[in-house]
Structure formats: structure tokens, C-alpha cells
């Protein structure tokens, strides 16, 4: 006896709905992977649950962005507005410009130049020479600045040495003056008689 036909309608029981969604989602992802391998098809799958959780799958041979671009091109439906298209074009332009700069850098380093013609080789040579001139100019400016700084340091050191010498001479002069004042004070004390009235006492004794 075959299975009865299931009526397709919203499952009211929350638990049953969650379980059914999980089973059907896993089945969809499995079928998408199988058709990708068996039929060499390009498959992309995006599923959003009622709670907002997303499940996605994209075949390994093509990323989702490229697949959506192809869908937009073939279906004629606009997936991106003008703002996003301009942003995408700007990103492509920057990538292309970066690739060109990387190639020019390799040429300047002498790499990947076998495919260049004479005109391009001369342009590379001119760019290298121009860059070398700028490097030499900067090197000369650096050396001149370094010499000026060294000269300024020598002059500052000379001035500091002179100031230090003047300070040392001033300190020595002050020390000599203090020593001379101390000597004069001590000598003055020695020339004063210990007993100022001793001479008067001796004269009185002689008279008596």
C-alpha cells in the first residue's frame, strides 16, 4: 500500500514545523550537491528560516557573486541598484589599476620584461634613470643635512666647553679670595697682644 498524499500547507505545530524544515533543508542541500557532481551543473542555494537564520550552498566551480552576476545578465533582472553597480565598477577599476602598478613595479625591477617592445623598454629605462636621479638628490640632501647637524653639534660643544671653563675659573678665583680673607683674619688675631695692659704693669714694677 503506497503512502498517502500529503497536503502542502503551513504546519501549525511549531515543533513539527522546525523538524520538517530541518529535514527538508538538509535534503535540498544534499540534492544540490548531488546535481553539481552528477551533472556538472552550477548550483547555488540560499535558504532563510522563519527565525532569519540562513543556510547557503554554492558549487565549488563558481563563487556566489559570479553566479548572481550571471543570473542578472541572463534573466535581465536587476539585482543591484546603480549605487552598487558604480561601486562594483570602481572596485574593478582599482583592481585593474593595482595590477598595472604591480606589473610596472616588476618591470622597474627588471622582471617580466621579455614581452616588452623597444618603446616600452626605453620608457622603463627612463623611469629607472629618473628614479635614480631622485634617489641621488635625496641622498645628497641627507648628507648635507647630516654635516650641518654635526657642525652645529661641534659648535654647541665648543660653547659649552668655554662656558664650563669660565665657570671653573670663577670658582677657583672665589676660592683664592676666600683663602686670602681667612689668612688675613688669622694673622690679625696673632699681632694683637694677648694681655693689652702687660706693659703698663711692668713699668709700674720698675718704678717701685
Amino acid at each position: 500500500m503506497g503512502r498517502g498524499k500529503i497536503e502542502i500547507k503551513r504546519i501549525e505545530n511549531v515543533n513539527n514545523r522546525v523538524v520538517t524544515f530541518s529535514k527538508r533543508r538538509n535534503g535540498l542541500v544534499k540534492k544540490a550537491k548531488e546535481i553539481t557532481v552528477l551533472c556538472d551543473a552550477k548550483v547555488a542555494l540560499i535558504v532563510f528560516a522563519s527565525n532569519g537564520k540562513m543556510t547557503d550552498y554554492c558549487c565549488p566551480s563558481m563563487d556566489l557573486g559570479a553566479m548572481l552576476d550571471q543570473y542578472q545578465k541572463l534573466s535581465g533582472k536587476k539585482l543591484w541598484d546603480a549605487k552598487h553597480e558604480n561601486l562594483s565598477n570602481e572596485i574593478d577599476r582599482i583592481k585593474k589599476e593595482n595590477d598595472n602598478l604591480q606589473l610596472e613595479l616588476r618591470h622597474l625591477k627588471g622582471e617580466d620584461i621579455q614581452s616588452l617592445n623597444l618603446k616600452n623598454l626605453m620608457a622603463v629605462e627612463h623611469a629607472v634613470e629618473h628614479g635614480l636621479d631622485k634617489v641621488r638628490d635625496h641622498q645628497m640632501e641627507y648628507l648635507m643635512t647630516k654635516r650641518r647637524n654635526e657642525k652645529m653639534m661641534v659648535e654647541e660643544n665648543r660653547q659649552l666647553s668655554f662656558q664650563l671653563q669660565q665657570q671653573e675659573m670663577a670658582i677657583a678665583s672665589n676660592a683664592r679670595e676666600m683663602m686670602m680673607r681667612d689668612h688675613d683674619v688669622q694673622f690679625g688675631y696673632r699681632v694683637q697682644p694677648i694681655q693689652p695692659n702687660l706693659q703698663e704693669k711692668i713699668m709700674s714694677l720698675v718704678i717701685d
Side-chain angles (χ1 to χ4, degrees):
M1 185 175 178
R3 295 177 57 185
K5 185 176 181 180
I6 301 175
E7 184 180 2
I8 302 299
K9 65 177 184 179
R10 185 177 184 271
I11 301 174
E12 298 298 334
N13 185 280
V14 177
N15 292 331
N16 292 341
R17 188 163 66 241
V18 170
V19 171
T20 302
F21 172 80
S22 178
K23 291 181 178 179
R24 298 289 180 108
R25 178 198 59 196
N26 294 339
L28 279 174
V29 174
K30 182 179 178 181
K31 292 297 182 181
K33 292 180 178 178
E34 288 177 354
I35 195 173
T36 298
V37 175
L38 294 174
C39 304
D40 195 22
K42 295 179 174 60
V43 180
L45 174 67
I46 303 176
V47 180
F48 293 97
S50 58
N51 59 4
K53 185 177 180 181
M54 183 186 75
T55 301
D56 65 322
Y57 166 77
C58 187
C59 60
S61 61
M62 194 173 189
D63 63 80
L64 183 58
M67 190 169 293
L68 290 175
D69 288 339
Q70 186 175 0
Y71 169 80
Q72 179 178 242
K73 186 182 298 182
L74 295 177
S75 66
K77 296 180 180 180
K78 285 281 188 180
L79 297 180
W80 326 116
D81 55 18
K83 181 178 179 180
H84 287 91
E85 287 184 357
N86 293 334
L87 180 60
S88 178
N89 293 334
E90 183 66 14
I91 292 174
D92 292 339
R93 185 190 66 79
I94 293 174
K95 287 182 178 179
K96 185 177 180 180
E97 183 177 346
N98 181 67
D99 292 340
N100 292 334
L101 290 174
Q102 292 293 334
L103 182 60
E104 289 180 7
L105 180 60
R106 290 197 298 271
H107 290 166
L108 293 175
K109 294 168 63 177
E111 302 173 358
D112 301 336
I113 60 175
Q114 291 79 6
S115 60
L116 299 179
N117 56 30
L118 180 60
K119 182 179 179 180
N120 292 333
L121 288 172
M122 291 178 65
V124 171
E125 181 182 12
H126 176 73
V128 171
E129 290 178 351
H130 180 68
L132 185 59
D133 289 340
K134 294 185 67 175
V135 169
R136 287 171 176 169
D137 291 342
H138 182 68
Q139 183 181 17
M140 184 62 64
E141 182 180 355
Y142 173 80
L143 292 175
M144 292 177 65
T145 302
K146 182 180 179 182
R147 290 171 184 171
R148 284 197 301 268
N149 292 337
E150 290 176 350
K151 188 175 181 180
M152 290 173 59
M153 290 179 64
V154 170
E155 180 63 22
E156 290 179 359
N157 185 53
R158 188 189 66 79
Q159 293 181 2
L160 289 174
S161 299
F162 178 76
Q163 293 176 3
L164 180 61
Q165 184 180 7
Q166 294 295 318
Q167 292 177 359
E168 291 176 349
M169 292 175 62
I171 292 173
S173 178
N174 293 335
R176 286 194 298 270
E177 292 179 0
M178 292 177 63
M179 290 177 63
M180 292 178 65
R181 285 199 298 269
D182 292 343
H183 180 268
D184 292 343
V185 171
Q186 293 176 4
F187 181 76
Y189 285 153
R190 284 197 295 268
V191 298
Q192 295 292 332
I194 299 176
Q195 297 183 5
N197 299 326
L198 180 59
Q199 186 176 3
E200 295 181 358
K201 289 181 180 180
I202 295 173
M203 292 297 295
S204 63
L205 290 174
V206 173
I207 296 172
D208 293 342

